[in-house]
Amino acid sequence: MEGDASVAVKVCYALPHHQEIITLRLARRITVLEAIQQSGILDNYREIDLSKNGIGIYGRLVELHQIVRDQDRIEIYRALSLHPMAARRRRAMQE
């Protein structure tokens, strides 16, 4: 696949009850930011603010200027509504 002039990537955004996954074939040497923009996900989910939302590839935080590789899964993270430790304490108290 090294001779191929494009890469396949997925752009993902998870909501509480729905996960949006957009599969794209893009030119090589494209950045994470460009892949997100070309996916159209920003038009469908206006609450996404790339200056505030974390961005990762397979669970590892990345910068928007990073170059994507073939088969990357770009993940747009939502802000936590409750800190994980507080959520665990709340569940433990309800048991």
Side-chain angles (χ1 to χ4, degrees):
M1 171 142 316
E2 199 61 39
D4 194 353
S6 64
V7 293
V9 299
K10 292 181 180 178
V11 176
C12 307
Y13 182 59
L15 297 165
H17 303 290
H18 173 70
Q19 184 175 11
E20 185 76 31
I21 301 173
I22 300 167
T23 302
L24 304 163
R25 183 155 288 281
L26 303 167
R28 286 198 178 276
R29 306 284 308 155
I30 197 163
T31 65
V32 169
L33 174 60
E34 292 168 325
I36 291 170
Q37 290 170 333
Q38 289 187 29
S39 76
I41 203 161
L42 299 176
D43 296 327
N44 296 333
Y45 298 95
R46 301 265 182 210
E47 71 271 15
I48 297 174
D49 181 346
L50 296 179
S51 67
K52 295 179 182 175
N53 292 80
I55 307 296
I57 293 179
Y58 290 114
R60 192 180 108 266
L61 288 176
V62 297
E63 299 290 328
L64 290 172
H65 59 82
Q66 179 173 319
I67 302 296
V68 298
R69 296 185 314 203
D70 193 39
Q71 302 302 315
D72 274 352
R73 176 185 165 101
I74 301 166
E75 302 159 341
I76 303 170
Y77 305 123
R78 291 180 296 118
L80 295 175
S81 58
L82 186 61
H83 190 279
M85 286 298 290
R88 272 181 256 176
R89 279 190 210 107
R90 182 181 287 176
R91 284 193 305 270
M93 292 179 75
Q94 291 175 351
E95 293 178 353

